[in-house]
Amino acid sequence: MRDLVYPPVIAFAKTAFTVLDLKIRRTGTEHVPRTGGALVAINHISYVDFILGGFGALPAKRLVRFMAKEVLFRNKYSGPLMRGMHHIPVDREAGAASYRTAVEYLRAGELVGVFPEATISRSFELKEFKSGTVRMAAEAGVPILPMILWGTQRMFTKDHPRDFTRHRPISISIGAPITVTADDDPAEATARLRSTMAGMLDESIRAYPEQPPGAWWLPAAYGGSAPTPAEAERLDREELAERAERRRRP
């Protein structure tokens, strides 16, 4: 797979990180395979997660092909970049095609990035996972690499303005590969993956150098003022209802 677009995009991102003086801490990068396919499962707390998630694989000199909303590929600005980096468009009403493409990429030895929660978590804790992650890994015969990002929500997330303040700490944690097979029950394997990532998220939050009580970006369970998972679920339902209403309008 020829990559004429990805390298300059990475160079631009690195320059932006330097200008912002992000304090990026990467752990577990030794788990990223130097060759061969793997499915990178990432928690979703920010609109910039795909940028920082890809950054986590760079020490292994690997590029991550992300499964992303199809609308990004139709945008006149992001579309050429998404296609040029060989990311995978996901149409939620016709997901079979993107699923097949992801499996083909994995079998061809690529790293594919997925967000098992599908959408950004307003609570910044893990939402319920879709089973597609473990099903893809089992079908392609590749391991799952759990990855946890923390701090990215402070930059750009739902319900809050963008804030690219300099010197911000960012945590990227990669866990040991998880093997799933066609014999595994998808629901049980998905629960196992979520439990593993929940433990990693707890470690990342507790190790984060800033813990201001009442901070909007800190989960309620850790003393922050972010919505609880139940409140976040209600907000998600209201958002979906508003979108449906807008589609119905002439």
Side-chain angles (χ1 to χ4, degrees):
M1 191 174 291
R2 297 183 63 192
D3 282 296
L4 301 178
V5 176
Y6 221 141
V9 169
I10 291 173
F12 176 81
K14 285 183 174 180
T15 300
F17 295 161
T18 300
V19 170
L20 292 173
D21 191 28
L22 295 183
K23 306 302 182 183
I24 300 175
R25 179 175 179 265
R26 291 181 289 200
T27 58
T29 55
E30 69 276 7
H31 295 307
V32 181
R34 295 280 176 165
T35 60
L39 194 59
V40 186
I42 310 169
N43 67 315
H44 206 3
I45 54 176
S46 168
Y47 291 111
V48 299
D49 287 341
F50 71 98
I51 300 174
L52 275 302
F55 196 68
L58 289 185
K61 299 183 177 4
R62 299 298 304 274
L63 301 176
V64 182
R65 318 296 178 178
F66 282 92
M67 300 186 74
K69 292 179 181 178
E70 188 267 342
V71 66
L72 294 174
F73 293 77
R74 288 189 279 109
N75 183 280
K76 66 179 180 178
Y77 300 111
S78 63
L81 294 176
M82 298 298 284
R83 292 189 295 271
M85 290 186 282
H86 304 291
H87 294 316
I88 303 169
V90 177
D91 183 343
R92 290 179 181 171
E93 296 182 359
S98 58
Y99 180 97
R100 288 194 300 270
T101 300
V103 171
E104 290 172 2
Y105 274 33
L106 292 167
R107 287 174 173 167
E110 298 286 344
L111 295 184
V112 173
V114 297
F115 298 103
E117 300 163 278
T119 59
I120 288 175
S121 168
R122 285 181 159 99
S123 72
F124 309 126
E125 297 185 58
L126 296 183
K127 301 172 68 170
E128 291 303 312
F129 279 17
K130 308 296 183 182
S131 65
T133 300
V134 298
R135 290 189 288 107
M136 277 191 290
E139 185 170 339
V142 300
I144 299 173
L145 289 179
M147 178 186 290
I148 291 293
L149 304 176
W150 191 248
T152 59
Q153 77 276 28
R154 300 177 66 186
M155 300 171 70
F156 187 17
T157 192
K158 284 186 175 182
D159 307 326
H160 296 277
R162 299 177 182 87
D163 182 3
F164 294 102
T165 301
R166 300 182 72 236
H167 318 305
R168 182 155 287 156
I170 300 292
S171 169
I172 306 172
S173 177
I174 304 169
I178 297 173
T179 301
V180 292
T181 70
D183 295 328
D184 291 327
D185 177 80
E188 292 180 359
T190 298
R192 177 158 50 98
L193 172 63
R194 187 179 183 281
S195 176
T196 297
M197 292 180 65
M200 293 171 59
L201 177 59
D202 177 72
E203 292 177 2
S204 294
I205 294 173
R206 295 184 186 281
Y208 196 69
E210 299 178 15
Q211 305 281 344
W216 68 261
W217 50 266
L218 196 61
Y222 293 82
S225 59
T228 65
E231 291 168 342
E233 185 177 352
R234 175 182 57 79
L235 292 171
D236 289 345
R237 289 196 302 269
E238 292 175 356
E239 180 183 26
L240 290 174
E242 289 174 4
R243 288 181 185 175
E245 178 61 27
R246 285 198 299 267
R247 286 196 296 266
R248 285 194 295 269
R249 292 172 187 163

